[in-house]
Amino acid sequence: MMTVNEVSKLTGVSIRTLQYYDKIGLLAPAEYTGAGYRLYDDAALEKLQQILLFRELEFPLKDIKEIVTRSDFDKRKALDQQIGLLELKKEHIENLIDMCKGLKLRGVRKLDFKAFDISKIDEYAKRAKEQWGKTPEFKEFEEKDKNRTDSEKADMMADFMKIFEEFGAMKEQDPASTRPQAQVKKLQSYITEHFYHCTDEILFSLGKMYAGGGEFTENIDKMGGEGTAEFVYQAIKVYCGK
């Protein structure tokens, strides 16, 4: 048996993260001491390794929890995918090293950006997620979406983004006030009706994604003005009691 402190030192995972994994039911210790301290056996360490592998594939924790607790979870398949991804990352790093060595020898007269191309890594991770990401929500979305025409899909997404435009019109208000909270409920209901059953937990995860930067944040801010994505997230936090 290993203590939480020993596991943290062995794996590089912080004690706080291990405690959080236990709290959300992702990785429970093998047992607790009489004083309430966590103890981990080999089986728990093996599961932690699986979790960390899926984190490398950039899966959200809620999906990892669903995957590693499946009765049909294929450890060998997961490991093969992880090896493939790491090999692609290794190739990418080696290309960057070669480029830097070339720059050191020849200067910057010949500009070459191929070493920065990570499309193969992104595509591999995408395929892995498609294989493992068959959550109930994903299956529900597939079922609802399979008979929609392109026109219907476009109209649906336009209506969806309209919700964020409406959020933008109220972003100067307190996110806990009546109108923003009613708008969050509208957002949740729309997702449930058109995509998949949107629980408060899923809604909160979406809120973090909306405000987390990148394409989601940019698109929402384009609809409602700068700061809309963050305002939506804050309103969702209140709605979900976070």
Side-chain angles (χ1 to χ4, degrees):
M1 291 286 188
M2 298 181 68
T3 65
V4 68
N5 188 52
E6 290 171 334
V7 172
S8 178
K9 289 180 179 178
L10 175 67
T11 64
V13 179
S14 71
I15 293 175
R16 179 173 294 182
T17 297
L18 290 169
Q19 292 170 338
Y20 179 67
Y21 286 176
D22 183 14
K23 181 180 178 181
I24 65 174
L26 178 60
L27 178 69
E31 59 183 70
Y32 296 86
T33 66
Y37 294 108
R38 295 171 173 83
L39 294 175
Y40 296 82
D41 59 8
D42 288 345
L45 290 175
E46 182 182 359
K47 187 174 182 180
L48 175 59
Q49 187 179 63
Q50 294 162 3
I51 292 167
L52 296 178
L53 294 180
F54 278 108
R55 290 297 284 164
E56 282 293 322
L57 287 169
E58 300 180 357
F59 276 71
L61 290 178
K62 65 181 183 68
D63 288 351
I64 296 174
K65 180 180 176 182
E66 197 272 337
I67 290 167
V68 300
T69 55
R70 287 180 186 172
S71 60
D72 61 346
F73 175 55
D74 188 336
K75 297 177 184 177
R76 182 173 293 276
K77 174 183 173 184
L79 188 59
D80 285 343
Q81 287 183 334
Q82 183 62 20
I83 290 170
L85 179 62
L86 290 174
E87 286 176 342
L88 287 174
K89 288 185 175 182
K90 177 187 174 186
E91 179 185 344
H92 174 61
I93 292 171
E94 288 175 343
N95 288 338
L96 288 174
I97 292 172
D98 289 343
M99 184 197 72
C100 290
K101 287 180 177 178
L103 289 174
K104 186 176 179 179
L105 291 173
R106 300 185 299 274
V108 296
R109 290 189 299 274
K110 183 180 180 182
L111 298 177
D112 185 357
F113 293 91
K114 290 188 293 184
F116 296 102
D117 183 9
I118 60 170
S119 58
K120 287 194 292 185
I121 296 174
D122 290 342
E123 180 63 25
Y124 186 94
K126 178 183 176 183
R127 290 201 308 269
K129 288 183 179 181
E130 286 173 349
Q131 291 182 31
W132 289 108
K134 300 294 185 179
T135 61
E137 292 80 17
F138 185 82
K139 292 176 182 177
E140 182 181 353
F141 170 73
E142 283 188 320
E143 184 64 26
K144 288 183 176 180
D145 199 55
K146 66 181 181 181
N147 294 321
R148 289 176 178 143
T149 65
D150 289 343
S151 177
E152 288 171 337
K153 291 177 183 179
D155 290 344
M156 183 181 70
M157 290 308 299
D159 290 341
F160 183 55
M161 296 308 295
K162 179 71 174 178
I163 294 174
F164 295 109
E165 183 179 3
E166 294 167 353
F167 267 116
M170 60 184 78
K171 66 177 182 287
E172 301 304 322
Q173 300 180 29
D174 182 344
S177 60
T178 302
R179 282 189 64 204
Q181 288 301 293
Q183 190 71 4
V184 173
K185 184 173 180 60
K186 179 179 179 179
L187 173 65
Q188 185 181 39
S189 297
Y190 191 90
I191 294 171
T192 295
E193 180 180 355
H194 296 90
F195 299 103
Y196 46 76
H197 179 60
C198 185
T199 64
D200 285 359
E201 180 182 3
I202 291 174
L203 182 65
F204 181 63
S205 296
L206 290 172
K208 289 194 291 185
M209 182 175 66
Y210 294 157
E215 187 176 356
F216 280 105
T217 303
E218 292 173 4
N219 288 337
I220 291 172
D221 283 355
K222 283 179 183 178
M223 291 302 299
E226 185 176 355
T228 300
E230 178 62 27
F231 176 76
V232 173
Y233 173 48
Q234 294 303 323
I236 288 174
K237 279 177 65 176
V238 174
Y239 183 88
C240 296
K242 303 293 185 180

